[in-house]
Amino acid sequence: MQTSPDRHEYPAHWEADVVLRDGGTARIRPITVDDADRLVSFYEQVSDESKYYRFFAPYPRLSAKDVHRFTHHDFVDRVGLAATVGGEFIATVRYDRIGADGMPASAPADEAEVAFLVQDAHQGRGVASALLEHIGAVARERGIRRFAAEVLPANNKMIKVFTDAGYTQKRSFEDGVVRLEFDLEPTDRSLAVQYAREHRAEARSVQRLLAPGSVAVIGAGRTPGGVGRSVLGNIRDAGYGGRLYAVNKALPEDQKELDGVPAHRSVRDIDGPVDLAVVAVPAGHVPEVVTECGEHGVQGLVVVSAGYAESGPEGRERQRALVRQARTYGMRIIGPNAFGIINTSPRIRLNASLAPEVPRPGRIGLFAQSGAIGIALLSRLHRRGGGVTGVTGVSTFVSSGNRADVSGNDVLQYWYEDPDTDVVLMYLESIGNPRKFARLARRTAAAKPLVVVQGARHGAAPQGHAVRATRLPHATVSELLRQAGVIRVDTITELVDAGLLLARQPLPAGPRVAILGNSESLGLLTYDACLAEGLRPHPPQDLTTAASAADFHAALSRALADDRCDAAVVTAIPAVGEGSVGDAALAQALRSAAAAAPAKPVLVVHVELGGLAEALSAAASTAPQTAADRDGAPRPLSQAEEDPDGALRPAPQAGADRDDAPRPAPQAGADRDDAPRPAPQVAADPDDAPRPAPTHQQTPAPEVQGTAEAPEGAHLIPAYPAAERAVRALGQAVTYAQWRRDAADPGRVPEYDDIDEKGAAALIGGLLARGQGLTLGTDETCDLLGHYGVQVHRALPAPTPDDAAEAARALGYPVALKATAPHLRHRADLGGVRLDLADEDQLRRSYAELTELFGAPEELRPVVQRMAPRGVDVVVRAVIDPAAGAVLSFGLAGAASQLLGDTGHRLIPVTDREAASLVRSIRTAPLLFGWRGSAPADTRALEELLLRVSRLVDDHPEVVAVTLEPVVVAAHGLSVLGASVRLAPPPVRDDLGPRTLPAY
């Protein structure tokens, strides 16, 4: 630790873990006097060429003076950072503040020289780029605005580090040296470069976990039935193509195999690299295992062991220690308390999970923070005979447990460019970094559908999850996610319903829906459901119960050929009688008609048609058996007990621990209105509604599969057991498709000539000099808003009737008299406001009435304000949330809107198109557009006001809250009648700082 003559304490907040280009991790921290030996050892491992590039001359070793200079810093004018793996240096960077003459200087000099040195073995991993981001952030914090670097022309790698960073820079060549100078203020390009590097690194880190070349299962018991032994068997039985090892410290020294898999007492004994370790030992033994893995060079861990944050404070600290220890060695973790991971790619075939069977390969990426919900989702995908097939099964599955390290954000980074994944389904119980999730979701949704259901919506996050606090209600966060293109659903049933439609049907071009079928009643229900979802259905076409397969084909072909149709819903019920259509024939007819119009989605609503759902998709089994179907399946880890050989074994009675359960109860994840299931597969399912007895027209499922096999690459038609479920999925697809079209042109953030950004900054700086946080007074609020072109109607205090009369004369009649006491402010419904007072007599009478009704003027705090033109009263707010970032909100003023929660939200900065959509997003928006013959309000002026407030908060993060209430939007122009502003030191924005992993 630093001691005198240091001028500042050790800056612990500069410590950070980062993901490097190859997916490994490193720790970045300040260099201290205690690092002398590490520095010397590091320098000895650097090649002579790299040393020459650093010092411009042969420099074989560091002198004692060099070591002192490079380890003694004041953390202001001289700063050194090191990147470490396993506690040892792999790279260093330092800056020295200089003056205009290039000599060492102190503040207010704002330039510094910067220099790097990276061990040759770690070059090409993106270490220097990460260090540049962090040393740049440190320099900005210390008042340095510009870096200068001198580089030999032959040192192309280091020149590229600087030039690729995206900063505004100047380059010159003098005395055989390239001199680079660049500003440290983040630019759009530097942020884009940073995000791109973050994406590549985090995606690569997940790829290393999901596609390992070798796997070791640590804790594979000597006897069958334990958790580790079960995982080992699942990996082996899935046909994993890489090298697989069993590890158990209690194995006899002469035992070389376990279940036909090479066995070792320690991962250190394995001759060759291990890419992934599945850890299934009791929590108390995990630290020893992590150390062995780190020293052997293991790249990542899946920790299925429980006993961490989900178990209480001691477990939470144990979890922090686990993450810190793993990151020390550059490893990433899925878990702890994880169910595991699955990759169905034919090249990988990895089932490192507690699921006994591998799902059939497909195009859906599945993420669940809960193991039990993950199994329920896999099981539900299997039972959907009308949706998931071998083509639309699962590509990869991740169940993250406590998600102490790898989270949904990391997996999104991987799925964004994964060629094997077309649709992403996520079950989330917490969002650790909503701002980042929204950014990644927006990018992902622009390329492929992202469907999310969030659990724990009305309570705290699960105990095992570390999440930052947010002041925003769940409904607000959900709306912000929808704006990012996320398809938000409320149940896992809806998650699967939407996912199956999006996986194998095209996106609809609009909301116009054709409805046809052999049941008039079912058609009418579908029609009503379409209207409820905001779709535009055509009148249902009833084909009658006598309709043949040819009738269905002809009707569907006509509907899809109609330019006024964007999608079609086919309703079908079982028919009885000679010549009634069979399932296989109907499925073939529908698929044939749909194939002629491949740009329009088709859905089927059916009433227990037995084999139809299966025939439509030619489905084969795509999901694992539940553990209840198989003897000897593993039990929840949270109740596992330690075997004498050090492995985990299930407890005598399996509990119901949320994340650990590898086998759901028979009803887990299965609502009574669950998806259609072929009769032979679900005859004993207690959750199914009663089904009609098979008629002679229904073809048995095995025969249907044989006769109605879907052509390779054909669009498979999803089938639903209820009209509202099919239509809800279609409505979500329509909304998402519209979002995709809008996202292609997101709009722009306008520039306004009358905005005085510098003047506002000077005013804010002066006000904040008074203290850490304050709510501005009326005059200060008006002045600050005025710098951004927002004019507030001034309200003059009226402590006496005479003061009220004087204020009215100054403002000019007509005026309004308002009580501003907290319990009456903005509550016109309580009678604390008098409007359109035309003269002094009316004013004095109104003043007397208010004091008689509500008390003395000291309690009422009356003010006088000039009357504004009549219009629609609205409220505009902006707030900086510590988790979600800056949010702009809009709604109509009044108790009704508050009670209904009728408020729209957008993330700041807001574009012109987003401002327009925000105005139209609330349910009461028709009041602004001439509802029932009223004059339309000036929505253009309102949109401009929203954009100006957005600019104010975006330009000055010290403005942590703005409220404009009420704003009266008239037919021409608007009037801001009340405003408040709160200032505070801006919260740290991790999206603008250097890349870091969440701190532990």
Side-chain angles (χ1 to χ4, degrees):
M1 194 61 62
Q2 291 292 121
T3 58
S4 60
D6 298 325
R7 289 162 43 191
H8 280 69
E9 294 294 326
Y10 177 80
H13 65 287
W14 292 351
E15 295 182 355
D17 295 306
V18 298
V19 184
L20 302 177
R21 181 182 300 155
D22 63 356
T25 65
R27 183 151 186 85
I28 294 176
R29 64 169 178 83
I31 298 174
T32 72
V33 296
D34 300 324
D35 291 319
D37 292 341
R38 292 187 186 88
L39 181 66
V40 172
S41 175
F42 158 73
Y43 194 77
E44 289 174 350
Q45 299 177 62
V46 176
S47 70
D48 290 340
E49 182 183 49
S50 294
K51 293 173 182 176
Y52 184 87
Y53 284 152
R54 169 64 177 85
F55 293 104
F56 298 0
Y59 216 88
R61 64 186 58 84
L62 297 175
S63 66
K65 183 177 180 181
D66 292 328
V67 173
H68 183 276
R69 173 172 168 242
F70 293 148
T71 55
H72 286 68
H73 304 99
D74 62 12
F75 301 129
V76 178
D77 299 328
R78 303 185 314 280
V79 172
L81 300 179
T84 68
V85 173
E88 300 301 320
F89 287 8
I90 64 170
T92 62
V93 63
R94 63 176 283 115
Y95 79 67
D96 294 271
R97 193 189 300 258
I98 58 175
D101 57 358
M103 301 300 292
S106 298
D110 62 357
E111 184 173 352
E113 286 187 334
V114 64
F116 293 80
L117 186 60
V118 181
Q119 265 183 16
D120 296 67
H122 294 278
Q123 292 178 9
R125 300 185 64 199
V127 184
S129 299
L131 281 174
L132 178 58
E133 291 179 19
H134 283 260
I135 197 72
V138 168
R140 290 194 296 270
E141 181 181 326
R142 296 309 194 203
I144 293 172
R145 298 289 174 258
R146 185 169 55 260
F147 270 166
E150 293 186 345
V151 187
L152 291 175
N155 193 358
N156 294 318
K157 291 181 180 178
M158 189 52 59
I159 292 175
K160 184 174 176 61
V161 167
F162 291 121
T163 56
D164 288 353
Y167 295 111
T168 302
Q169 59 184 265
K170 181 173 63 176
R171 181 170 176 172
S172 60
F173 183 79
E174 187 176 345
D175 297 329
V177 173
V178 177
R179 182 176 177 83
L180 298 168
E181 298 179 11
F182 49 95
D183 296 332
L184 295 178
E185 188 66 26
T187 65
D188 290 343
R189 181 167 178 264
S190 70
L191 288 176
V193 169
Q194 180 175 313
Y195 291 156
R197 288 171 173 168
E198 173 193 68
H199 162 65
R200 287 194 300 269
E202 293 178 356
R204 175 59 179 154
S205 73
V206 173
Q207 182 187 35
R208 298 203 314 180
L209 293 165
L210 290 174
S214 53
V215 179
V217 179
I218 303 175
R222 290 176 295 176
T223 58
V227 171
R229 186 71 172 266
S230 297
V231 174
L232 179 69
N234 294 342
I235 297 175
R236 181 201 59 207
D237 295 345
Y240 173 60
R243 296 177 300 279
L244 179 61
Y245 307 98
V247 176
N248 189 323
K249 67 179 181 180
L251 289 174
E253 292 188 8
D254 60 348
Q255 184 171 348
K256 303 301 181 184
E257 283 192 357
L258 190 65
D259 288 344
V261 175
H264 303 271
R265 291 166 55 86
S266 168
V267 73
R268 293 191 182 103
D269 300 333
I270 297 175
D271 184 16
V274 175
D275 296 330
L276 177 70
V278 181
V279 181
V281 302
H285 296 292
V286 170
E288 177 186 354
V289 168
V290 173
T291 298
E292 293 180 359
C293 290
E295 292 176 351
H296 192 71
V298 174
Q299 296 180 349
L301 307 173
V302 174
V303 181
V304 298
S305 308
Y308 289 90
E310 81 284 354
S311 63
E314 291 185 7
R316 189 175 298 111
E317 185 52 44
R318 191 180 300 121
Q319 182 167 300
R320 292 192 182 103
L322 168 65
V323 175
R324 287 193 295 264
Q325 184 186 12
R327 288 180 180 173
T328 296
Y329 293 103
M331 297 184 292
R332 301 215 66 183
I333 297 174
I334 290 178
N337 196 23
F339 187 80
I341 58 177
I342 298 173
N343 187 341
T344 65
S345 168
R347 304 183 307 275
I348 310 298
R349 298 288 296 173
L350 175 67
N351 180 16
S353 78
L354 294 168
E357 300 288 341
V358 181
R360 193 177 176 96
R363 312 293 301 177
I364 295 177
L366 191 59
F367 177 88
Q369 289 177 350
S370 160
I373 298 299
I375 278 295
L377 284 170
L378 290 172
S379 180
R380 184 158 299 196
L381 289 175
H382 159 56
R383 288 196 301 268
R384 291 299 300 272
V388 170
T389 69
V391 180
T392 54
V394 175
S395 60
T396 43
F397 167 76
V398 177
S399 178
S400 64
N402 292 0
R403 67 155 187 75
D405 181 25
V406 172
S407 69
N409 285 345
D410 298 291
V411 183
L412 269 185
Q413 298 274 37
Y414 169 77
W415 276 328
Y416 172 63
E417 289 184 340
D418 178 29
D420 295 330
T421 301
D422 292 337
V423 178
V424 174
L425 307 184
M426 304 185 80
Y427 170 79
L428 305 176
E429 290 175 339
S430 61
I431 301 176
N433 188 340
R435 190 202 305 261
K436 180 176 180 180
F437 182 80
R439 170 168 57 85
L440 299 184
R442 181 181 295 273
R443 185 192 60 185
T444 302
K448 55 189 69 174
L450 169 59
V451 192
V452 172
V453 61
Q454 189 172 353
R457 295 191 295 270
H458 305 296
Q463 194 170 9
H465 294 196
V467 295
R468 64 186 72 186
T470 177
R471 294 187 293 265
L472 300 178
H474 172 77
T476 302
V477 174
S478 295
E479 183 175 347
L480 295 176
L481 293 181
R482 287 190 186 96
Q483 292 158 30
V486 174
I487 301 171
R488 273 280 294 108
V489 297
D490 293 326
T491 68
I492 61 172
T493 298
E494 293 180 3
L495 185 74
V496 175
D497 284 346
L500 297 183
L501 172 61
L502 294 164
R504 291 309 292 159
Q505 288 291 303
L507 292 176
R512 300 169 300 180
V513 182
I515 303 170
L516 58 97
N518 63 355
S519 167
E520 182 180 15
S521 298
L522 197 53
L524 292 174
L525 284 175
T526 305
Y527 183 86
D528 291 341
C530 287
L531 293 176
E533 291 295 326
L535 302 176
R536 292 163 52 190
H538 294 237
Q541 181 182 358
D542 182 18
L543 304 179
T544 77
T545 56
S548 65
D551 295 330
F552 273 93
H553 181 279
L556 181 57
S557 296
R558 287 193 301 271
L560 296 177
D562 188 345
D563 292 339
R564 298 170 299 170
C565 166
D566 300 311
V569 178
V570 179
T571 63
I573 61 171
V576 179
E578 293 290 334
S580 296
V581 60
D583 293 338
L586 178 56
Q588 180 61 37
L590 297 179
R591 279 209 309 268
S592 174
K600 296 183 179 182
V602 177
L603 302 79
V604 170
V605 177
H606 67 93
V607 179
E608 302 300 346
L609 279 180
L612 175 58
E614 202 167 63
L616 285 168
S617 61
S621 177
T622 64
Q625 293 175 268
T626 65
D629 298 328
R630 205 163 111 165
D631 292 335
R635 297 174 186 260
L637 289 180
S638 60
Q639 300 192 13
E641 53 191 21
E642 186 174 351
D643 197 320
D645 62 9
L648 287 181
R649 293 189 60 78
Q653 292 185 354
D657 185 75
R658 176 188 55 80
D659 276 337
D660 297 325
R663 53 185 181 98
Q667 72 273 18
D671 297 340
R672 294 188 63 86
D673 64 341
D674 202 6
R677 302 157 197 159
Q681 296 180 352
V682 295
D685 191 330
D687 290 326
D688 253 358
R691 66 183 68 226
T695 67
H696 65 278
Q697 288 84 11
Q698 293 176 325
T699 309
E703 182 180 343
V704 169
Q705 289 183 342
T707 59
E709 189 70 31
E712 182 72 22
H715 285 312
L716 304 173
I717 301 175
Y720 300 84
E724 61 272 14
R725 285 176 54 183
V727 172
R728 188 177 299 120
L730 179 59
Q732 289 157 347
V734 168
T735 301
Y736 170 67
Q738 184 60 51
W739 180 89
R740 285 273 291 262
R741 290 188 288 270
D742 293 342
D745 181 16
R748 63 185 184 87
V749 178
E751 297 288 340
Y752 295 107
D753 295 337
D754 59 344
I755 286 181
D756 181 10
E757 185 176 344
K758 292 183 178 179
L763 177 58
I764 291 169
L767 293 170
L768 277 179
R770 303 178 188 173
Q772 289 297 302
L774 70 159
T775 300
L776 302 188
T778 301
D779 291 340
E780 296 160 338
T781 296
C782 293
D783 290 345
L784 178 58
L785 293 173
H787 284 293
Y788 273 73
V790 178
Q791 304 303 322
V792 181
H793 282 225
R794 293 183 181 271
L796 301 180
T800 68
D802 291 339
D803 292 325
E806 183 178 348
R809 285 192 294 271
L811 294 172
Y813 288 100
V815 296
L817 179 66
K818 303 179 181 180
T820 62
H823 65 291
L824 296 173
R825 189 176 182 84
H826 306 312
R827 291 298 307 274
D829 56 308
L830 296 181
V833 179
R834 297 291 186 272
L835 302 176
D836 287 318
L837 304 178
D839 54 37
E840 186 172 334
D841 287 343
Q842 293 183 14
L843 175 61
R844 289 183 180 273
R845 284 197 302 271
S846 297
Y847 197 101
E849 290 173 0
L850 287 181
T851 54
E852 181 179 348
L853 285 172
F854 298 108
E858 297 80 24
E859 301 174 19
L860 296 181
R861 305 178 192 176
V863 298
V864 174
Q865 195 171 42
R866 182 177 176 84
M867 278 296 298
R870 294 281 186 164
V872 181
D873 290 2
V874 303
V875 181
V876 176
R877 289 191 176 91
V879 65
I880 294 184
D881 181 78
V887 178
L888 182 68
S889 303
F890 164 77
L892 265 59
S897 292
Q898 294 178 17
L899 287 171
L900 294 173
D902 190 20
T903 304
H905 310 275
R906 294 292 184 273
L907 289 174
I908 291 174
V910 170
T911 67
D912 51 0
R913 293 194 61 164
E914 289 172 332
S917 69
L918 177 57
V919 169
R920 292 156 178 80
S921 66
I922 58 176
R923 285 171 287 174
T924 46
L927 294 173
L928 294 164
F929 294 92
W931 186 66
R932 287 192 172 182
S934 60
D938 191 346
T939 53
R940 287 186 177 274
L942 177 57
E943 293 164 15
E944 181 177 326
L945 176 67
L946 293 170
L947 290 165
R948 289 178 180 272
V949 173
S950 170
R951 278 286 307 275
L952 170 64
V953 176
D954 190 47
D955 292 345
H956 307 284
E958 301 88 352
V959 180
V960 296
V962 176
T963 299
L964 306 183
E965 182 181 9
V967 177
V968 181
V969 188
H972 301 285
L974 55 77
S975 304
V976 180
L977 303 185
S980 65
V981 174
R982 180 167 177 77
L983 303 181
V988 176
R989 288 192 60 178
D990 49 16
D991 60 326
L992 292 182
R995 289 172 285 157
T996 65
L997 286 170
Y1000 256 94

